[in-house]
Amino acid sequence: MADLHDWGTGEAPEPPRSFPKDRRPAGWRVFPETLDDLMQRAGPYGEAAKAHLEWSGVAVWLMKDGDKALAAALIPVEAANLSVLLTRKAVEHEGGWPNLSGIPAQPALYDLPDDAQQIARRMASDIHALWEAAGRPYLRASDCKFAFQYLAAAIRKGIIPPIPTLGDVDPVPAAKPAKPHILDMLKEQS
């Protein structure tokens, strides 16, 4: 059968072979797929994006694969989890990572005494080094895309100013006031 139009055969026609599969320039991506690309597009939030992604990778590695490395380094799992959690939030805050709720929140690490903060940061730094020695796992392209979309959402909500390297992402305009209800209009007339 030479003509495969769907005339009761159940077969769809083949697309023409001359149609280009990808019209984008080579190497161009809508969303960043690497940490370097994300940092470049994030502009002044590049270091904060790096801290967010790296500490996210450390936290996932710690939950999934870090038990053996922690045992070899004689670091208790509970202390490691707590120090990474506290340090991650503090480092993101210090780097200027936006909070989509718009409510500034002080990291819990700052509530601890200075010596406890130093111990938590030092332990988290040791765990970060173990994560790097493991090959920096769980730093995925999907995480770079999510961080990029998170920054775009912060721009749209007006939490951070637009970033030229992020593209044309305009803030969301203020909501239009609701039209008055017909009963309210009748009340005003009487």
Side-chain angles (χ1 to χ4, degrees):
M1 195 184 248
D3 189 17
L4 295 180
H5 293 284
D6 190 11
W7 294 334
T9 64
E11 297 180 41
E14 294 282 328
R17 298 222 182 256
S18 62
F19 186 75
K21 292 185 178 184
D22 192 6
R23 295 180 185 219
R24 296 180 303 201
W28 182 84
R29 303 272 186 260
V30 173
F31 298 110
E33 293 183 353
T34 64
L35 181 58
D36 291 335
D37 188 16
L38 174 65
M39 288 179 64
Q40 184 179 13
R41 293 188 197 195
Y45 297 96
E47 288 300 318
K50 178 182 178 185
H52 173 75
L53 282 182
E54 284 187 349
W55 285 105
S56 295
V58 169
V60 172
W61 171 78
L62 197 57
M63 288 186 284
K64 290 187 173 190
D65 305 327
D67 291 342
K68 291 178 185 175
L70 290 177
L74 302 174
I75 300 174
V77 174
E78 296 83 8
N81 287 329
L82 182 60
S83 66
V84 166
L85 175 72
L86 293 173
T87 303
R88 173 186 176 185
K89 293 298 180 186
V91 169
E92 288 175 356
H93 177 74
E94 292 159 3
W97 187 248
N99 184 356
L100 283 183
S101 71
I103 302 168
Q106 181 175 343
L109 182 67
Y110 296 165
D111 295 336
L112 298 176
D114 288 340
D115 57 339
Q117 286 185 33
Q118 292 173 358
I119 291 169
R121 286 182 188 263
R122 193 171 332 124
M123 184 179 291
S125 175
D126 292 344
I127 295 165
H128 193 279
L130 291 172
W131 172 75
E132 286 183 335
R136 299 168 57 97
Y138 303 106
L139 218 95
R140 302 166 294 217
S142 61
D143 297 326
C144 293
K145 176 183 176 182
F146 177 76
F148 182 80
Q149 290 173 322
Y150 187 93
L151 286 173
I155 291 169
R156 285 189 183 103
K157 287 186 83 173
I159 295 170
I160 61 174
I163 303 168
T165 55
L166 200 58
D168 295 330
V169 179
D170 296 324
V172 175
K176 294 180 183 177
K179 293 181 180 178
H181 193 271
I182 188 72
L183 294 177
D184 293 334
M185 294 171 63
L186 291 174
K187 288 178 187 176
E188 290 174 3
Q189 293 176 355
S190 54

